[in-house]
Amino acid sequence: MFKKKPTASEVDGVQYRRAKTWQIICYACNALVGMSVYSLIGMASYSASIGYGITTAAVGIILTCTRILDGITDPLLAFVYDRVNTKFGKLRVLLIAGYLIEAVALYAMFTGFSSKGMGLVAFTLLYVVYVIGYTTTNMTAQTIPAIMTNDPRQRPTLGVWTTAFNYLVPMVMSMVLNVVLLPKCGGTYNQAFLTAACNITLIVAAIGTLLVCLGVSAFDKPENFVGTKKTEPLKMADIVEVLKHNKPLQCYIASNASDKLAQQVGSQAIINTILGGIIIGNIALGTILTVISMVPSIFFAAFGAKYVGKHGSKKGIVNFTCISMVITAVMIVFFIVIDPKQIGVMGSPAMIIYVILSLLQNGSNMCITTSNTSYMADAIDFELDRSGRYIPAVVSGTYSLVDKLITSFAAVIATGAVALLGYTATMPQPTDPCTPAIFWMGMALKFGLPIIGWIITLIAMRSCPLTKEEMVNVQKRIAEKKAAAQSEFYKEQLQ
């Protein structure tokens, strides 16, 4: 007979809490909210240009400033998060409220007020309201993994489901929008397309919100939000203190913010138009190829989870980052030595090689994402061990503040880059001719920036103390402190 494999609790001597698989899947459905809205808001530059008559340069400035505002609101939400305690819970109230706010703003931005003679002020105000709703939803969702489980084997598994949904949702949305909807709207980004895209997004996001609320209902209880010692109401100084003394968080900010900047620049609709529509020359087929290469690579996330469960979040981030750098460098060389138009020819050798390279690239990137999900939960527990306070919204909010201050430049980098190519009053369209300037700009933004971000990641992680062995010690100390605090509480009750 096979001997049963010992659990992480038995191996580490810590009584870990675990979530059920269906609860993890429901939480991962947060991607139906975040990534569907992410797909829509990536077309905000088109909405601003088409619906509000705003120039390309002004669009970049608006999106950058509102992104900075988004970063500022993240840690401020920690004060709301700390004080929301209702009979319906904390998490569910914030998730639903956030969805309703951003839904109203997005509907008005893309449909209600668009192409109605409104201008820059109206678009900016609507974007600000969207930011408030998005912040409420996103920041609340970021705190959930650490609440659901602290088992070092299960945390990466939660990351697998999250990663899978985070990639699948934008893929499906891209297929629906670019392959199905865009041709029906004339093949160009116009008001009819933006209206239909917005309506589809809001329905998908509503379903996602309800599923997440279902998954977290068992954990949305007051006793799951306490630390190891008595605490006072949250103050602004607490945010500064966390940023100053939480070393793993500092490393994560440098690592993930640089990666996110590159990712958000590359995911802008105008950059995808340049790559798929102009360089490859077939935006519909380019979207299909992206999906073909993405779906099998999701299985890489499962491998990444096993690796992280065995070796720890830090080692997973470092090793998979190195792999991603190599694959992306090969992709650049591939585009240089071939005629990229051949990628847009169904069944061609160039198309097949492109799909294989994209599959490997997406797979390694998914392993990084899986590692990051586990790492953020570890950083929250590190803070609980360090300060005795369970303040997940502060940790994730502090990260998001710095992250968004940096990544706020994504839109201005993208729009500024295409403005340098001559697109000052209009946006790139799939029917535009490919010039050497467009080709090299596409390569630099789509592949060059990620490599720079990964170099920064490797430098940052060299000084990170959060190894697998240290995380076991962190969980042991937390368990001991909570037991001591509970014992002290019982003594006070008896006196």
Side-chain angles (χ1 to χ4, degrees), residues 244-282:
K244 184 177 179 181
H245 296 290
N246 192 316
K247 182 67 174 179
L249 180 61
Q250 295 170 1
C251 297
Y252 186 72
I253 288 172
S255 165
N256 211 36
S258 58
D259 292 351
K260 284 273 280 293
L261 175 62
Q263 177 192 10
Q264 293 199 12
V265 171
S267 65
Q268 294 290 313
I270 51 179
I271 305 304
N272 287 325
T273 299
I274 287 176
L275 182 68
I278 300 177
I279 296 178
I280 295 177
N282 190 336

Side-chain angles (χ1 to χ4, degrees), residues 167-176 178-179 283-298 354-355 358-359 362 366:
Y167 279 90
L168 277 174
V169 171
M171 274 195 304
V172 174
M173 290 295 293
S174 181
M175 289 287 291
V176 171
N178 292 326
V179 179
I283 192 167
L285 180 59
T287 302
I288 293 171
L289 294 180
T290 299
V291 173
I292 292 174
S293 63
M294 189 71 75
V295 173
S297 62
I298 290 175
Y354 175 74
V355 169
S358 297
L359 188 154
N362 294 333
M366 286 182 182

Side-chain angles (χ1 to χ4, degrees), residues 5 24 27 35 65 81 84 86 100 102 120 139 152 174 178 185 194 204 233 263 267 299 377 427 429 434 438-439:
K5 186 177 180 181
I24 292 175
Y27 162 70
M35 299 312 296
C65 292
Y81 187 99
V84 172
T86 73
L100 292 176
E102 65 179 345
L120 184 148
M139 288 303 304
S174 181
N178 292 326
C185 297
L194 295 175
V204 172
Q263 177 192 10
S267 65
F299 294 102
M427 293 293 178
Q429 294 289 350
C434 181
I438 289 177
F439 173 82

Side-chain angles (χ1 to χ4, degrees), residues 160-207:
V160 171
W161 287 101
T162 303
T163 301
F165 276 77
N166 281 344
Y167 279 90
L168 277 174
V169 171
M171 274 195 304
V172 174
M173 290 295 293
S174 181
M175 289 287 291
V176 171
L177 299 181
N178 292 326
V179 179
V180 178
L181 192 60
L182 188 60
K184 291 184 177 180
C185 297
T188 60
Y189 294 101
N190 51 43
Q191 184 56 55
F193 171 78
L194 295 175
T195 297
C198 178
N199 293 338
I200 292 171
T201 297
L202 295 184
I203 293 172
V204 172
I207 295 171

